[in-house]
């Protein structure tokens, strides 16, 4: 969008410079007509020609200045286009960075959700471990009243 505006500005500047050059040429022609008229009326052609040369010289200076203005305008337009391209590159890099930040945020949320599930599973494991420990103590107490006698294959006796 900026490059388009810069291009339009350069075109307008070039058009204005052309219009000024056209006006300068029209003035030069009118001045030549005036010089001819002065030559006819005054009969002093030499002086009129000298004035015409001075006017032509001034118009040449104006046209030269217009050429410099046109070149400067084109240089400014080129710089503005380069800046617009750089701005677009920067905008693209910022957008890419923003997209990456959003991806990292989503991944962090997923990790956070996973950590919550891991914590729940750890709580369940701890609860089951507590249950197993209680069952092992109950089993130990239950089996504590029995003893295996030597040589009595599988014989069990209850302790007094």
């Amino acid at each position: 969008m900026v490059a388009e505006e810069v291009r339009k500005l350069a075109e307008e500047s070039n058009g204005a410079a052309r219009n000024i050059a056209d006006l300068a040429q029209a003035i030069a022609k009118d001045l030549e007509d005036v010089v001819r008229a002065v030559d006819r009326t005054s009969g002093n052609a030499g002086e009129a020609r000298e004035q015409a040369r001075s006017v032509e010289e001034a118009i040449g200076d104006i046209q030269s200045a217009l050429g410099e203005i046109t070149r400067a305008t084109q240089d400014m337009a080129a710089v503005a286009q380069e800046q617009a391209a750089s701005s677009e590159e920067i905008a693209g890099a910022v957008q890419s960075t923003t997209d990456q930040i959003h991806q990292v945020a989503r991944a962090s949320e997923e990790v956070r959700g996973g950590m919550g599930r891991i914590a729940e599973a750890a709580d369940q494991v701890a609860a089951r471990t507590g249950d197993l420990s209680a069952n092992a103590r109950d089993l130990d107490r239950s089996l504590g009243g029995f003893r295996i006698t030597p040589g009595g294959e599988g014989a069990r006796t209850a302790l007094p």
Side-chain angles (χ1 to χ4, degrees):
M1 181 170 20
V2 174
E4 180 65 25
E5 290 176 20
V6 169
R7 186 189 61 72
K8 285 180 183 177
L9 178 62
E11 287 177 2
E12 290 174 6
S13 295
N14 286 335
R18 276 188 240 111
N19 287 342
I20 292 170
D22 291 343
L23 287 173
Q25 289 176 346
I27 291 170
K29 184 183 177 296
D30 289 345
L31 285 173
E32 288 176 10
D33 292 343
V34 168
V35 167
R36 281 190 213 114
V38 169
D39 280 345
R40 278 181 269 153
T41 57
S42 70
N44 191 355
E47 185 179 319
R49 283 191 186 113
E50 187 59 39
Q51 288 176 352
R53 284 188 191 113
S54 294
V55 169
E56 285 180 42
E57 209 174 286
I59 291 173
D61 291 344
I62 291 171
Q63 287 176 328
S64 176
L66 288 174
E68 290 178 28
I69 290 170
T70 300
R71 282 188 295 280
T73 301
Q74 289 170 343
D75 290 345
M76 288 189 301
V79 167
Q81 285 177 336
E82 288 174 13
Q83 288 177 343
S86 294
S87 295
E88 290 174 6
E89 287 178 25
I90 290 170
V94 167
Q95 183 61 47
S96 176
T97 301
T98 301
D99 293 345
Q100 290 174 357
I101 288 171
H102 288 164
Q103 288 175 352
V104 167
R106 283 191 298 274
S108 295
E109 284 297 319
E110 290 175 13
V111 167
R112 188 171 138 216
M115 293 304 290
R117 289 188 296 276
I118 289 172
E120 289 173 12
D123 288 345
Q124 289 175 359
V125 167
R128 296 296 177 258
T129 302
D131 291 347
L132 285 175
S133 179
N135 288 343
R137 280 192 303 274
D138 289 347
L139 184 60
D140 188 45
R141 268 187 296 218
S142 294
L143 292 177
F146 293 97
R147 183 170 18 152
I148 297 176
T149 58
E153 290 189 29
R156 294 186 185 140
T157 57
L159 291 177

